[in-house]
Amino acid sequence: MNTPTFNLHSVRQKMQSYSSNWQMYVLLLLFLVGMTVGSFASKGDGTLVTNKIADFYMNYLKVKPTISGLSVFFNTFLLASSAIIVTYFIGLCAVGIPFVAFVPVLAGGFIGIISGYIYENYMLKGLGYCAIIIFPAAIIAVAAILFACKESFLMSVTMLNLLSQRRSQPLESFKNYSLRFVNYIAITAAGALTETIMTRLFIGLFAF
């Protein structure tokens, strides 16, 4: 019978992996905070901001069954990719570090407001709509946004260090940074395509 042994090297590797990804854990926490606050803010009479966002989305939701799949795709893609583009430029600023935190909070707040409002007013039908149409695409888009935020944070730290040392940014590093953001935008396109497909297949189940 083999006796289990304590592998210190394996534990150290896991701890290093967790410590190297601490930015992702913080960003995910910020997103969840934003989503929680957004969902609670949408309850009852809400606020001026939450009501404007909810009204805007509900007006879009009412015409969603009648517009083309291409329109659904571009509406979803433009929203998510805009967050990626903003995050990209934040990373190029030496003082962009604190501003990166706002991106996951705002993304979570937006999803929280919409899903909270739909559930609050339509209960099980609203929950079904969120689970089938909103959340699958949102998971893909949010993953891209969080990874983009991490890259933006690291790049902003690099820019700050370079500024303090009065050195220039290597062209190769900038190219790699830009290429990674192209990949993140491609991922948001996959999320938009997911929402388009789910909308075409299941929007007939929901009448708001």
Side-chain angles (χ1 to χ4, degrees):
M1 180 177 179
N2 294 328
T3 303
T5 58
F6 180 75
N7 192 331
L8 182 59
H9 179 68
S10 177
V11 173
R12 284 177 177 172
Q13 283 185 325
K14 290 181 180 179
M15 291 180 66
Q16 289 174 352
S17 176
Y18 292 143
S19 62
S20 64
N21 289 313
W22 67 267
Q23 299 97 335
M24 285 299 295
Y25 301 133
V26 173
L27 292 168
L28 178 59
L29 178 62
L30 290 172
F31 169 78
L32 294 175
V33 168
M35 188 170 181
T36 302
V37 172
S39 62
F40 277 105
S42 64
K43 293 182 180 297
D45 294 333
T47 65
L48 178 63
V49 174
T50 58
N51 288 338
K52 288 289 185 182
I53 293 174
D55 289 343
F56 175 80
Y57 187 81
M58 291 308 298
N59 288 333
Y60 169 63
L61 185 55
K62 289 175 182 177
V63 301
K64 201 174 183 181
T66 64
I67 62 178
S68 67
L70 193 61
S71 296
V72 174
F73 174 85
F74 277 111
N75 288 335
T76 307
F77 173 70
L78 288 175
L79 182 62
S81 61
S82 296
I84 300 289
I85 293 170
V86 169
T87 305
Y88 172 83
F89 285 107
I90 290 175
L92 297 178
C93 300
V95 295
I97 298 171
F99 297 99
V100 175
F102 287 102
V103 178
V105 172
L106 292 175
F110 182 78
I111 295 173
I113 289 170
I114 291 173
S115 58
Y117 180 87
I118 292 175
Y119 176 74
E120 175 81 5
N121 289 274
Y122 300 99
M123 301 304 288
L124 289 178
K125 184 169 69 171
L127 181 62
Y129 176 84
C130 292
I132 294 174
I133 295 180
I134 292 181
F135 291 154
I139 290 172
I140 298 173
V142 168
I145 290 171
L146 294 183
F147 278 108
C149 285
K150 179 183 177 181
E151 291 292 339
S152 178
F153 173 84
L154 295 175
M155 188 62 160
S156 187
V157 170
T158 301
M159 297 295 287
L160 182 61
N161 290 335
L162 290 172
L163 184 64
S164 63
Q165 298 169 10
R166 297 186 178 181
R167 292 163 50 198
S168 61
Q169 172 74 346
L171 180 61
E172 191 65 26
S173 177
F174 175 73
K175 285 172 59 177
N176 291 336
Y177 176 75
S178 300
L179 286 173
R180 281 192 285 270
F181 271 80
V182 171
N183 291 333
Y184 299 141
I185 289 178
I187 293 173
T188 63
L193 181 61
T194 300
E195 177 161 341
T196 302
I197 293 172
M198 300 304 284
T199 299
R200 294 297 95 185
L201 291 176
F202 299 108
I203 195 66
L205 300 176
F206 308 99
F208 295 101

